[in-house]
Amino acid sequence: MNILQQRIIDDGEVFPNNVLKVDSFLNHQIDPHIMYSIANDFYQHFKSAGITKILTIEASGIAPAIFVAQKFDVPMLFAKKKEPSTLQNQEVYTELVHSYTKNTDSNIIVSKQFLNADDKVLVVDDFLANGEAAMGLISIAEQAGADVAGVAICIEKSFQNGRQRILDHGYEVYSAARIASLENNQVRFNDGH
Amino acid sequence: MNILQQRIIDDGEVFPNNVLKVDSFLNHQIDPHIMYSIANDFYQHFKSAGITKILTIEASGIAPAIFVAQKFDVPMLFAKKKEPSTLQNQEVYTELVHSYTKNTDSNIIVSKQFLNADDKVLVVDDFLANGEAAMGLISIAEQAGADVAGVAICIEKSFQNGRQRILDHGYEVYSAARIASLENNQVRFNDGH
């Protein structure tokens, strides 16, 4: 069991409808040790892939993504969920993304200035469930003509279809913790832990 | 001139109404070197203050704050701008914050679980202008009964009243770059650069 899995067991809380709350260390209060350890794990896995840019989405993706960017020594770029006034007169890549947690649709937006066909992109996010955010980020990278090296995820809910959507689209998914089930308020990981 | 000031001169863009766009390195695409350097600067300044928690607000505060948290070896906590479904049944600290950039009001929210009277808080954010976000975060720390060690800012617009509001409230403001003026599309720093 890695340190993220152990922390999920120790401090994660399971709620009805397959909700796993990890906001004591991952997406509200954040433990920089855990986050750095995850980022280092992603780096070890993708270090030979020629990554030029880390792409994530606000807000919970930013903390893991900035550590990953530091490890790779490349810029991090985060997609914004609606068009802020300082981007209004610029050309942007955009994609519609549905949030099942919040039951809202957002346009996610990245300035064309910062992503192009010379880039090799690693997509990073805190959670993978239905894959909406990850597929949105992939679409943005593809709109830019960039290569996608893969998708790196802190916690994957492997019982939902996000991983399969990304695999079907032709890209690798690498997750620091893969959760097979949250049934009976119990966290069970894919590797049998 | 420090490396942040130099980068603002090299890559910042000044727009009408005192808008300084730094989204090529600070708040859309993020250069981890610059961010780490700023975080280290904050750490050197506040390292004897007994900080137990770094408090910021989504989204642009997260990247500097997580590096600062790593330096201090304490958790980082980011306020959310509206109540997500996973927080709905919890007790939260909340404060109303106005965004002059977006001309919107948001409730910023922090779970009571993660902040209390034993904490000594360093407030971190990317920009300080009118001080709305910083004063909101200070209010949340005060609601928790926590001590506030000060406010650490990447870029301060010293010609707006945010710094004075925080000083009047009794707290220190430490900024990596203080901008005296953006008149005539020219960045002029407070230290004369």
Side-chain angles (χ1 to χ4, degrees):
Chain A
M1 193 172 291
N2 66 34
I3 72 163
L4 175 59
Q5 289 175 321
Q6 188 60 55
R7 190 65 174 268
I8 292 168
I9 296 296
D10 292 345
D11 294 332
E13 294 174 90
V14 184
F15 288 86
N17 300 316
N18 290 321
V19 171
L20 173 66
K21 203 150 87 61
V22 288
D23 63 1
S24 66
F25 60 95
L26 199 82
N27 52 16
H28 181 26
Q29 179 171 258
I30 300 177
D31 178 341
H33 290 288
I34 290 279
M35 214 45 115
Y36 180 82
S37 155
I38 295 169
N40 192 43
D41 185 20
F42 294 169
Y43 175 71
Q44 295 304 326
H45 187 82
F46 286 102
K47 67 183 173 190
S48 305
I51 306 293
T52 65
K53 200 148 287 188
I54 309 302
L55 180 62
T56 190
I57 182 168
E58 64 177 359
S60 312
I62 294 174
I66 191 70
F67 278 140
V68 176
Q70 188 186 38
K71 291 294 298 182
F72 278 95
D73 197 13
V74 300
M76 182 272 268
L77 180 59
F78 72 87
K80 302 190 176 194
K81 276 179 186 154
K82 58 179 180 181
E83 198 150 351
S85 62
T86 50
L87 277 175
Q88 256 163 14
N89 298 315
Q90 288 191 15
E91 298 265 333
V92 294
Y93 304 115
T94 182
E95 186 58 78
L96 194 68
V97 166
H98 181 72
S99 164
Y100 288 90
T101 320
K102 299 180 185 175
N103 196 23
T104 55
D105 291 310
S106 313
N107 277 300
I108 68 167
I109 284 167
V110 164
S111 170
K112 288 188 179 174
Q113 215 179 329
F114 305 128
L115 204 57
N116 64 54
D118 296 329
D119 279 313
K120 187 144 190 188
V121 172
L122 180 62
V123 172
V124 170
D125 208 359
D126 61 334
F127 263 95
L128 176 66
N130 296 290
E132 280 289 302
M135 290 299 291
L137 293 170
I138 286 169
S139 164
I140 278 177
E142 290 177 343
Q143 289 173 45
D147 281 343
V148 176
V151 177
I153 297 291
C154 300
I155 301 179
E156 174 191 321
K157 290 174 166 175
S158 305
F159 54 88
Q160 293 185 252
N161 68 338
R163 167 179 283 264
Q164 198 56 50
R165 287 179 68 187
I166 297 165
L167 296 178
D168 289 348
H169 204 77
Y171 299 125
E172 181 186 2
V173 180
Y174 181 78
S175 303
R178 297 185 62 192
I179 294 175
S181 158
L182 294 170
E183 282 169 24
N184 305 317
N185 288 346
Q186 280 261 313
V187 179
R188 198 163 51 79
F189 294 107
N190 263 38
D191 57 7
H193 287 296
Chain B
M1 192 173 292
N2 66 34
I3 72 163
L4 174 59
Q5 288 176 321
Q6 189 60 55
R7 190 67 174 268
I8 292 168
I9 296 296
D10 292 344
D11 294 333
E13 294 174 272
V14 184
F15 288 86
N17 299 319
N18 290 321
V19 172
L20 173 65
K21 202 150 87 61
V22 289
D23 63 1
S24 65
F25 60 95
L26 199 82
N27 51 17
H28 181 27
Q29 179 171 258
I30 300 178
D31 178 340
H33 289 288
I34 291 278
M35 215 42 115
Y36 181 82
S37 155
I38 295 168
N40 193 43
D41 185 21
F42 294 169
Y43 175 70
Q44 294 304 325
H45 187 81
F46 287 101
K47 67 183 173 191
S48 305
I51 307 293
T52 65
K53 200 148 287 187
I54 309 302
L55 181 63
T56 189
I57 182 167
E58 64 176 0
S60 312
I62 294 173
I66 192 68
F67 278 141
V68 176
Q70 188 186 38
K71 292 293 298 182
F72 279 94
D73 197 12
V74 300
M76 182 272 268
L77 180 60
F78 72 87
K80 302 191 176 192
K81 276 179 187 155
K82 58 179 180 181
E83 198 151 349
S85 62
T86 48
L87 277 175
Q88 258 164 12
N89 298 316
Q90 287 191 17
E91 297 264 331
V92 293
Y93 303 115
T94 182
E95 186 58 79
L96 193 68
V97 166
H98 182 71
S99 163
Y100 288 90
T101 320
K102 300 180 184 173
N103 197 23
T104 55
D105 292 309
S106 313
N107 278 300
I108 68 167
I109 285 167
V110 164
S111 169
K112 288 187 179 175
Q113 215 180 327
F114 305 129
L115 205 57
N116 63 54
D118 295 330
D119 279 314
K120 189 145 188 186
V121 172
L122 180 62
V123 172
V124 170
D125 207 0
D126 61 333
F127 263 96
L128 176 66
N130 296 291
E132 279 290 301
M135 290 298 291
L137 293 170
I138 286 169
S139 164
I140 278 177
E142 289 177 343
Q143 288 173 45
D147 280 344
V148 176
V151 177
I153 296 292
C154 300
I155 301 179
E156 173 190 322
K157 290 174 166 175
S158 305
F159 53 88
Q160 292 184 254
N161 68 338
R163 167 178 284 264
Q164 197 56 51
R165 287 179 69 188
I166 297 165
L167 295 179
D168 289 348
H169 204 75
Y171 298 125
E172 182 186 1
V173 180
Y174 181 78
S175 303
R178 298 186 62 191
I179 294 176
S181 159
L182 293 170
E183 282 169 25
N184 305 316
N185 288 346
Q186 281 261 312
V187 179
R188 197 163 52 77
F189 293 107
N190 263 37
D191 57 7
H193 288 295

